[in-house]
Amino acid sequence: MRFPEFLKKNGTIGFVAPSFGCNIEPYKTSFNHALEKFHDMGYQTMLGPNCFEGSGIGISNTPEKCAAELNKMYLSDEADALISCGGGELMCEILDNVDFDAINAAKPKWYMGYSDNTNFTFLLTTICDVASIYGPCAGTFGMEPWDESIEDCFSLFTGKKMMMQSYPLWEKEGLRDEEHPLEPYNLTEQSLVRGFLTQKDHTGEVQAFETEGTIKFKGRLIGGCMDCLVNLTGTKFDQVKSFNERYKEDGIIWYLESCDLNVFGIRRAIWQMIHAGWFEHVKGFLIGRPLHFGEEMIGLDQYHAVIDLLKEYQVPVLMDLDIGHLAPMMTLINGSTASVCAENGKVKINMELV
């Protein structure tokens, strides 16, 4: 695993829009304010040509132009690290034009984004053995004031913090809109990490049970948004089996979260990844709060959608973590070696670049 250099003082942050650009409100104002904040902190910025574009379908521009921007900015010596402008819907369509061979041969560079950006954060690590960052997109840094999770994120981005922990409250309904583009998170809900272990009953069948006891495990961290991951499964970009083999001695920790998937969509995604062999050598699962939090359909909820299938691996499963689409989110490094400790409804994830 290759780890890029963290952003240095007065370094240059590059911004790209391989998914949505910041062409409409509240994203345009919040992104511009984020740029002002970075400049005030002493950093330089470099913008790709699509950052304020909105002419594409589900992404900022045509797939070819989005890929060209990403290739150029990643390979450029001018930008020290990259942050994506936003998530979106069809970033997968740029992948045929992403030059993974050139990226693999280049000096590694941090790339940060989440949601649709899974299409690059996940592949950068599984294909190129380059660590990447699953964290907030550019406009989020425009909020006033910065949430604790954003402070933590930028501390990680600059190499000053490698341990993330769950936050006390989360946002069920955000207040940021066109008229309030810089609004901070609306933190109203109590956070509670739920831990599940397994054991065999008298018939030999594996059963999952919830525990309030301490749960610890360690392994190589990988994951992202399930909406995107299941779309990559089985394609030519799916090199997870070889990734798992390279790091089988470490074991793998999967973190997973979802956006548009309802509880049945989540269960189908888990089923598909299982049958693609993705969870070989797994040591544990970190499951973020789904955007469809609290949803129940025909007897299925967000917990059974996951636990009923993952219990066969007989490893810990932690659920309702601060990962993904319901803020705040812990910033995670794909490819890092993570030590996880959950107790008293909270979790700590300590990441090492080894």
Side-chain angles (χ1 to χ4, degrees):
M1 185 61 58
R2 293 180 292 158
F3 299 99
E5 295 180 6
F6 287 108
L7 179 67
K8 293 182 173 63
K9 184 178 180 180
N10 301 324
T12 300
I13 308 170
F15 296 92
V16 290
S19 191
F20 279 161
C22 298
N23 66 305
I24 60 173
E25 297 297 352
Y27 310 105
K28 186 175 181 178
T29 296
S30 60
F31 179 47
N32 277 320
H33 192 61
L35 295 176
E36 292 175 7
K37 290 177 74 74
F38 289 133
H39 293 158
D40 290 343
M41 295 166 70
Y43 295 100
Q44 311 302 310
T45 58
M46 179 180 178
L47 275 61
N50 298 321
C51 288
F52 292 104
E53 267 290 340
S55 56
I57 299 174
I59 51 179
S60 64
N61 210 321
T62 66
E64 293 79 12
K65 288 182 178 180
C66 286
E69 177 192 58
L70 181 57
N71 291 333
K72 182 177 181 180
M73 293 287 282
Y74 191 94
L75 299 174
S76 169
D77 291 332
E78 296 180 59
D80 299 315
L82 300 179
I83 302 178
S84 176
C85 284
E89 299 293 343
L90 292 175
M91 187 175 167
C92 58
E93 293 187 357
I94 82 168
L95 295 177
D96 284 313
N97 295 290
V98 174
D99 194 342
F100 284 103
D101 289 335
I103 288 170
N104 192 30
K107 179 183 177 182
K109 178 180 295 185
W110 287 117
Y111 178 95
M112 181 165 70
Y114 86 112
S115 191
D116 205 25
N117 291 278
T118 297
N119 285 287
F120 191 61
T121 56
F122 184 77
L123 298 183
L124 186 59
T125 304
T126 56
I127 293 176
C128 301
D129 282 311
V130 173
S132 63
I133 301 176
Y134 198 72
C137 293
T140 311
F141 293 92
M143 73 167 63
E144 287 289 357
W146 274 8
D147 181 72
E148 179 186 1
S149 64
I150 304 304
E151 296 277 4
D152 287 346
C153 172
F154 200 70
S155 292
L156 182 146
F157 201 58
T158 53
K160 298 173 183 175
K161 182 182 180 71
M162 296 299 292
M163 191 273 289
M164 292 288 148
Q165 59 187 2
S166 49
Y167 299 100
L169 298 172
W170 60 276
E171 176 184 78
K172 190 172 185 180
E173 304 220 356
L175 299 178
R176 187 171 71 148
D177 57 25
E178 294 179 8
E179 296 180 357
H180 307 89
L182 309 183
E183 196 74 16
Y185 294 141
N186 179 35
L187 304 174
T188 60
E189 309 301 305
Q190 189 73 40
S191 293
L192 177 66
V193 173
R194 298 179 64 175
F196 295 85
L197 297 174
T198 59
Q199 64 183 14
K200 290 185 178 180
D201 62 20
H202 66 281
T203 68
E205 184 177 348
V206 177
Q207 301 289 346
F209 64 94
E210 188 169 0
T211 177
E212 295 181 358
T214 301
I215 298 176
K216 294 182 178 183
F217 52 96
K218 185 176 181 179
R220 188 73 61 171
L221 198 61
I222 193 69
C225 180
M226 280 191 282
D227 307 48
C228 303
L229 292 174
V230 73
N231 194 50
L232 295 171
T233 308
T235 68
K236 67 180 181 180
F237 304 103
D238 177 359
Q239 298 186 23
V240 173
K241 283 189 176 181
S242 58
F243 175 84
N244 285 342
E245 281 301 306
R246 288 196 298 277
Y247 298 104
K248 64 182 179 182
E249 298 303 320
D250 303 323
I252 309 296
I253 296 176
W254 280 90
Y255 69 90
L256 302 167
E257 58 98 5
S258 61
C259 178
D260 295 330
L261 301 180
N262 63 29
V263 289
F264 283 103
I266 291 171
R267 186 147 171 160
R268 285 190 293 267
I270 294 288
W271 181 92
Q272 186 168 346
M273 288 186 276
I274 287 172
H275 286 273
W278 278 26
F279 300 147
E280 295 296 318
H281 313 301
V282 66
K283 294 293 186 181
F285 292 94
L286 307 173
I287 311 296
R289 286 184 298 269
L291 192 59
H292 287 243
F293 186 88
E295 179 184 72
E296 292 189 29
M297 298 176 66
I298 320 176
L300 185 68
D301 63 18
Q302 67 200 58
Y303 306 103
H304 286 283
V306 172
I307 295 294
D308 289 355
L309 300 183
L310 294 185
K311 68 181 181 182
E312 297 302 324
Y313 291 96
Q314 299 183 55
V315 298
V317 179
L318 303 181
M319 299 197 67
D320 293 350
L321 274 71
D322 295 320
I323 303 172
H325 287 74
L326 290 174
M329 66 184 298
M330 296 183 289
T331 304
L332 301 177
I333 299 177
N334 282 318
S336 65
T337 300
S339 299
V340 178
C341 179
E343 56 186 350
N344 301 320
K346 301 178 181 179
V347 67
K348 290 183 179 181
I349 304 173
N350 189 54
M351 294 167 284
E352 297 180 89
L353 305 189
V354 295

